[in-house]
């Protein structure tokens, strides 16, 4: 091989060698050990809105409205109508608006919320629950009322709702801690009230129900996890609303999920429930993280290294084959 050929080989190999060296340096920092990082609040809000706008076509909203009307879910129907208005989607509205009007009229005729307040299971909707039962249930009086129900059932020989009573006791304990600490346990108090309400509404997930049972039976670790979950749920309530939080709690299995939900709620605010309704929980939770710049850059370097090595190999192989063909033809 002549000096000219050696020079060409060195020049051809220089770029891949440099690329491989940079790739090795990047990999040495181990960027793929934790390739995903949390999105910032504004980035998360924009990401969710883009995804909602992309998915919520007129056809999608029309189908979702039909399901909500068939289920008699006025609150979801209102959310979908508002979404259609905001995005400028032309959807059928007659049946949906009739449902909303009918249920609003029923609620307006209810002058006394006493039955709903004393027994949340009697609330006709989440809206009524929020208007009538929530202020009461989230107060110490709500915890005492839960204990009253437990005592009534025990005296009557009926099954006592151990979880409802246990959460009420935890809530009362947090109330005492609030008085002593000046408010540091207020979020736990509000969160345990939300847990009780979600249980009675049927929106408490099975894993969280099991964890709550362990907590009220005295498991210290379960009690600590329940306290963290309750505090995160209160962040969700503060960023959205009580009725939205109660609906969203079906997606929470523990403090980790509650913390992710709280991050979404603090980014999306009142649009949190809408994001979950349109995108689903898996997609919303995936949106909370993104590929880090270091990991993305390292993956790009790996791809470039493989491409350059493949190009070199193909060029070298092509040259050898051409030379062999020329030698054969010369014979």
């Amino acid at each position: 091989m002549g000096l000219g050929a050696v020079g060409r080989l060195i020049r051809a190999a220089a770029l891949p060698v440099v690329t491989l060296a940079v790739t090795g340096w990047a990999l040495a920092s181990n960027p793929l050990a934790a390739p995903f990082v949390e999105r910032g609040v504004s980035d998360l809000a924009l990401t969710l809105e883009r995804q909602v706008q992309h998915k919520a076509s007129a056809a999608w909203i029309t189908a979702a409205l039909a399901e909500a009307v068939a289920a008699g879910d006025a609150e979801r129907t209102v959310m979908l109508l508002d979404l259609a208005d905001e995005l400028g989607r032309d959807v059928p509205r007659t049946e949906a608006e009739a449902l909303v009007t009918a249920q609003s009229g029923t609620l307006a005729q209810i002058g006394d919320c006493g039955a709903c307040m004393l027994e949340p299971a009697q609330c006709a909707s989440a809206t009524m629950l929020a208007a009538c039962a929530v202020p009461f249930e989230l107060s110490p009086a709500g915890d005492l009322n839960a204990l009253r129900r437990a005592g009534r059932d025990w005296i009557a020989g009926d099954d006592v709702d151990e979880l409802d009573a246990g959460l009420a006791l935890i809530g009362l304990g947090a109330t005492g801690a609030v008085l002593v600490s000046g408010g540091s346990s207020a979020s736990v108090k509000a969160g345990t009230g939300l847990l009780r309400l979600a249980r009675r509404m049927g929106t408490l997930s099975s894993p969280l129900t099991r964890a709550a049972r362990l907590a009220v039976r005295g498991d210290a670790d379960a009690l600590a996890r329940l306290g963290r979950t309750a505090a995160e749920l209160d962040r969700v309530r503060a960023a959205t609303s009580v009725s939205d939080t109660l609906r969203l709690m079906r997606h929470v299995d523990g403090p980790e999920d509650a913390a992710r939900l709280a991050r979404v709620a603090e980014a999306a605010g009142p649009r949190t429930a809408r994001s979950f309704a349109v995108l689903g929980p898996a997609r919303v939770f995936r949106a909370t993280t993104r590929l880090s710049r270091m990991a993305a850059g390292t993956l790009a370097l790996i791809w470039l290294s493989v491409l350059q090595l493949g190009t070199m190999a193909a060029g070298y192989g092509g040259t050898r084959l051409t030379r062999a063909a020329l030698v054969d033809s010369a014979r």
Side-chain angles (χ1 to χ4, degrees):
M1 181 182 294
L3 292 177
V6 172
R8 287 193 298 273
L9 180 60
I10 292 174
R11 286 194 297 273
L15 184 57
V17 168
V18 171
T19 303
L20 285 171
V22 174
T23 303
W25 170 81
L27 287 172
S29 65
N30 204 19
L32 301 182
F36 294 99
V37 296
E38 290 187 345
R39 292 185 188 273
V41 172
S42 59
D43 184 20
L44 177 56
L46 289 173
T47 297
L48 290 173
E49 279 304 297
R50 283 196 300 266
Q51 292 182 2
V52 167
Q53 291 175 18
H54 178 73
K55 183 173 180 180
S57 63
W60 187 91
I61 296 176
T62 298
L65 268 175
E67 292 178 1
V69 171
D73 190 339
E75 287 150 323
R76 181 176 172 85
T77 299
V78 169
M79 181 273 293
L80 291 168
L81 289 173
D82 289 344
L83 178 61
D85 290 339
E86 182 179 330
L87 300 183
R89 308 293 195 238
D90 185 15
V91 299
R93 309 177 70 93
T94 304
E95 293 185 359
E97 290 176 347
L99 172 67
V100 173
T101 300
Q103 291 207 8
S104 298
T106 300
L107 182 58
Q109 294 171 7
I110 299 175
D112 185 5
C113 290
C116 173
M117 182 171 61
L118 293 176
E119 181 47 75
Q122 300 298 318
C123 299
S125 67
T127 300
M128 186 190 298
L129 184 80
C132 303
V134 165
F136 179 73
E137 285 292 326
L138 297 188
S139 71
D143 294 322
L144 292 172
N145 186 51
L147 296 178
R148 177 195 63 80
R149 287 193 297 264
R152 177 200 61 195
D153 293 339
W154 180 76
I155 292 172
D158 298 330
D159 291 335
V160 175
D161 190 335
E162 174 194 25
L163 185 53
D164 189 46
L167 288 172
L169 287 172
I170 294 173
L172 286 173
T175 300
V178 171
L179 296 176
V180 172
S181 65
S184 61
S185 298
S187 61
V188 175
K189 166 67 191 84
T192 54
L194 290 170
L195 288 167
R196 285 199 301 103
L197 284 170
R199 166 85 188 318
R200 302 189 74 81
M201 285 182 62
T203 58
L204 197 65
S205 68
S206 297
L208 192 51
T209 300
R210 289 193 294 270
R213 288 191 186 282
L214 288 174
V216 301
R217 290 172 183 172
D219 184 295
D221 290 338
L223 183 58
R225 285 178 59 83
L226 187 69
R228 294 199 302 273
T229 302
E232 297 292 354
L233 290 174
D234 191 50
R235 287 174 58 199
V236 178
R237 178 200 59 78
T240 58
S241 67
V242 172
S243 58
D244 282 350
T245 303
L246 292 172
R247 282 176 171 265
L248 293 167
M249 282 173 64
R250 65 179 78 250
H251 307 304
V252 174
D253 291 345
E256 297 81 12
D257 290 338
R260 288 195 297 171
L261 177 57
R263 286 196 64 243
V264 172
E266 289 173 346
R271 297 182 173 184
T272 303
R274 186 184 80 175
S275 297
F276 275 86
V278 176
L279 303 175
R283 192 169 174 184
V284 170
F285 284 146
R286 281 200 303 271
T288 61
T289 59
R290 61 171 176 79
L291 191 66
S292 70
R293 290 187 177 87
M294 189 63 180
T298 301
L299 290 173
L301 284 169
I302 293 173
W303 174 83
L304 185 60
S305 297
V306 171
L307 180 64
Q308 289 176 342
L309 290 174
T311 301
M312 283 186 60
Y316 179 73
T319 301
R320 294 295 299 270
L321 288 174
T322 300
R323 288 178 178 173
L326 290 175
V327 169
D328 289 341
S329 62
R331 289 176 181 173

